[in-house]
Amino acid sequence: GGPANLLECSPSYIEGVPSLNAANVYMLRKTAIFQEESGNVNRARELRLKADKLLPFVMSLYEPGQGVWNSLDTIGNKVHIRHCYDYITIGQALEKDLSPYIKSEMNNFVETELLTKTWMRAMSIKDPAAAKSDRPDHGPMGSYDAWPPMTMDVMCRSGAFDKALAFLKATEVITHQGSWA
């Protein structure tokens, strides 16, 4: 399928989607734990091997120095994805696999391209799809209300607690409207 068949966050999510593959690594590992606890040691081993095989592919999609991840297009070319979804999903799913350097670069991407004075963009204005995006929830104009707290979660997990707290304070007025999604 094409972009309409995958994630509505970015039309660049076509083939090798870093966030979904990172989530797959996480789920394979978690399922392996459940299998092992149920006495299915061989199945647990198979699942861990699949996760171990997929992890290097996911890590190969990282763009060093930029803190962002690449997706693959239909012919295998890398396409930068400058969206909070990859930051959030990869930051949560691969928290222990990411080096402090990668976490720092990812945080820098969020701080310099996504956070605004009182809210955030879901997609950086530098994303290749930004000029064509008209999404107030997943694009460069704004963010779905769950993205800020999830972004703060990853910021905290990756060593930027003070910056996450500053972002919470900057968005505090929104919390008066009710809890975030």
Side-chain angles (χ1 to χ4, degrees):
N5 294 331
L6 194 52
L7 292 173
E8 75 275 16
C9 297
S10 171
S12 300
Y13 290 132
I14 306 248
E15 293 288 331
V17 179
S19 51
L20 296 181
N21 281 289
N24 195 12
V25 169
Y26 175 85
M27 290 184 287
L28 286 164
R29 289 171 170 171
K30 283 294 184 184
T31 304
I33 292 169
F34 299 138
Q35 289 292 322
E36 193 167 65
E37 289 173 352
S38 298
N40 301 320
V41 178
N42 289 336
R43 181 65 178 144
R45 187 178 312 113
E46 290 171 11
L47 295 171
R48 285 190 181 101
L49 287 172
K50 285 184 179 187
D52 291 346
K53 184 177 179 182
L54 183 55
L55 180 61
F57 167 73
V58 176
M59 296 306 292
S60 76
L61 297 175
Y62 182 68
E63 189 62 41
Q66 295 195 34
V68 299
W69 298 79
N70 294 296
S71 187
L72 299 178
D73 66 15
T74 55
I75 57 173
N77 295 318
K78 289 183 176 180
V79 180
H80 294 312
I81 304 291
R82 303 179 96 80
H83 199 279
C84 70
Y85 186 74
D86 296 289
Y87 173 81
I88 293 165
T89 304
I90 295 167
Q92 291 175 338
L94 301 181
E95 177 181 2
K96 294 179 180 157
D97 298 291
L98 302 174
S99 71
Y101 189 73
I102 289 175
K103 290 176 183 179
S104 176
E105 288 183 342
M106 289 173 61
N107 284 335
N108 186 60
F109 155 69
V110 167
E111 294 165 35
T112 60
E113 296 186 34
L114 299 184
L115 301 187
T116 67
K117 184 176 179 182
T118 58
W119 196 240
M120 70 178 282
R121 308 174 200 291
M123 176 186 284
S124 168
I125 56 176
K126 294 179 180 180
D127 188 284
K132 297 179 218 156
S133 176
D134 63 354
R135 297 292 302 258
D137 54 348
H138 297 312
M141 296 182 287
S143 169
Y144 165 57
D145 63 352
W147 297 146
M150 293 172 85
T151 297
M152 286 181 240
D153 171 60
V154 175
M155 291 171 81
C156 290
R157 290 172 184 237
S158 59
F161 183 84
D162 291 345
K163 292 178 181 181
L165 183 58
F167 181 47
L168 174 61
K169 289 177 181 177
T171 59
E172 177 265 338
V173 70
I174 301 299
T175 65
H176 295 272
Q177 297 178 15
S179 59
W180 286 336

